[in-house]
Amino acid sequence: MSATAFYGYLASPVRERPPYVVRTREGKVVVPDVEIRRGSLRLVPIYPADPRPVYQQLTDSLRARILSGELPPGSLLPSESEFIHEYGISRGPIRQAVAQLKAEGLVDVRQGRGVFVRRRPTRYRLSADRFLHARRHADRTPFPADLATGGTPRLEVRRHAVVEAPPDIADRLKLKKGTRVLARGFRLFADDEPVQVADFYFPYDLVEGTRVEDPAREPWPGGTIAQLQSLGIEVTEIAEDVATRAPRPEEVQDLRLGAGTPVFEVVRTMFAGERPIATSSIIIAGDRYVLSYRIPLQ
């Protein structure tokens, strides 16, 4: 097509001209003012003037549609062949785009079936109010309060043993090297989906010979605060450090995390006056919780 014919084509009304693709030296394509449709998926053209690489343009376009709900959970993305046909680009940028979306936790790649928009799990609220709940309901663990928006709670006891305090735990509890602690471990479920993995540690001298030491009483009625209170130990302060990070392999397995899903790591220490009396490390699936804090200023 000559330059005159091409510019004449661009000047014609959109309703009167058929789709037209112009390939550039970089292998990109231009689809002037035309929307390409495949079912309910509207594909945005790749622009050679855009400084972003081809795969990034495709990634950004698909991400925007996923986050806006235009591509709802469970939607099937076009196949590589369909992308190639519609866009006129090679497999490389398509695979890069899919890999990026997978790393962000937005799509699942199912071998032999295609690429699907990932279904969004129910999100629960984790709030400091749970500790007030523990005081009001001394017969139940606080975990059900986290699932107030829905979900059937279940707690799996994974550990109850007296061990030598690991260095970081000894440091948090201000214990000497070699001091024994009561270690307790759990996996928490909502509707049979794992949402948290938690490990708790207590100076053994606080619980030795008490009913709290009995593994048959797991999970503790009312949770940590209630059980310490039953021993005459009053929790006066709680300190938490919250960080986000990539999950470790065992956490991916324990929480059944999809690719690209981060975790919250909550390090919590409870105090009775100046003495730390309990500490815990809680790993929370980052796509299933909102951490909610209310901070009074008076």
Side-chain angles (χ1 to χ4, degrees):
M1 176 182 283
S2 67
T4 301
F6 174 64
Y7 285 109
Y9 162 82
L10 290 180
S12 64
V14 173
R15 64 180 181 275
E16 295 179 2
R17 64 177 185 262
Y20 182 82
V21 175
V22 179
R23 186 179 299 278
T24 69
R25 291 181 180 178
E26 294 80 11
K28 303 177 183 179
V29 297
V30 182
V31 186
D33 303 320
V34 177
E35 290 182 351
I36 302 173
R37 294 184 178 273
R38 174 188 178 271
S40 62
L41 174 61
R42 177 170 57 86
L43 302 180
V44 169
I46 303 298
Y47 293 102
D50 194 315
R52 295 172 299 167
V54 173
Y55 88 91
Q56 194 63 60
Q57 292 189 53
L58 182 57
T59 302
D60 294 347
S61 170
L62 292 172
R63 183 195 299 111
R65 281 160 173 72
I66 291 170
L67 296 179
S68 71
E70 183 179 334
L71 286 174
S75 297
L76 175 64
L77 268 59
S79 67
E80 286 187 0
S81 297
E82 289 168 328
F83 270 124
I84 291 170
H85 174 73
E86 300 289 4
Y87 278 96
I89 58 178
S90 64
R91 294 183 186 275
I94 298 168
R95 292 176 178 177
Q96 284 181 284
V98 169
Q100 180 66 40
L101 294 172
K102 181 181 177 182
E104 294 177 14
L106 295 175
V107 301
D108 289 316
V109 179
R110 302 175 190 173
Q111 204 65 29
R113 297 185 59 191
V115 181
F116 294 81
V117 177
R118 181 174 294 176
R119 298 186 183 279
R120 299 172 190 173
T122 301
R123 303 188 79 181
Y124 304 105
R125 177 176 172 265
L126 185 64
S127 167
D129 294 347
R130 68 200 313 271
F131 300 116
L132 297 176
H133 178 277
R135 291 190 185 280
R136 292 193 299 266
H137 304 278
D139 59 333
R140 290 182 289 169
T141 62
F143 177 54
D146 301 341
L147 308 183
T149 55
T152 301
R154 179 167 66 87
L155 189 148
E156 172 187 275
V157 179
R158 310 180 81 187
R159 188 186 193 194
H160 184 107
V162 178
V163 301
E164 183 178 309
D168 61 325
I169 300 302
D171 184 60
R172 285 191 231 163
L173 294 174
K174 298 182 180 179
L175 301 175
K176 294 180 180 179
K177 181 180 179 180
T179 302
R180 293 188 300 169
V181 293
L182 174 63
R184 304 164 66 230
F186 306 93
R187 183 163 57 156
L188 291 76
F189 293 77
D191 291 334
D192 290 323
E193 287 295 323
V195 293
Q196 296 182 33
V197 175
D199 291 292
F200 296 80
Y201 300 88
F202 306 82
Y204 186 52
D205 68 292
L206 291 181
V207 300
E208 185 177 8
T210 70
R211 61 178 185 171
V212 169
E213 186 184 5
D214 183 3
R217 299 188 71 250
E218 294 285 13
W220 285 355
T224 299
I225 293 177
Q227 289 303 302
L228 290 176
Q229 197 170 37
S230 75
L231 301 179
I233 303 169
E234 192 72 29
V235 176
T236 58
E237 186 179 5
I238 299 172
E240 285 190 350
D241 292 321
V242 181
T244 57
R245 60 171 174 80
R248 295 172 185 140
E250 65 274 15
E251 294 164 352
V252 171
Q253 182 175 357
D254 285 343
L255 295 173
R256 303 174 192 164
L257 300 175
T261 304
V263 294
F264 293 111
E265 182 175 29
V266 180
V267 175
R268 177 184 299 151
T269 303
M270 297 182 175
F271 294 83
E274 296 298 318
R275 182 183 180 183
I277 55 174
T279 192
S280 54
S281 297
I282 305 167
I283 307 301
I284 302 172
D287 61 343
R288 297 166 213 172
Y289 268 90
V290 173
L291 303 189
S292 177
Y293 295 93
R294 185 173 180 176
I295 304 172
L297 298 180
Q298 294 182 347

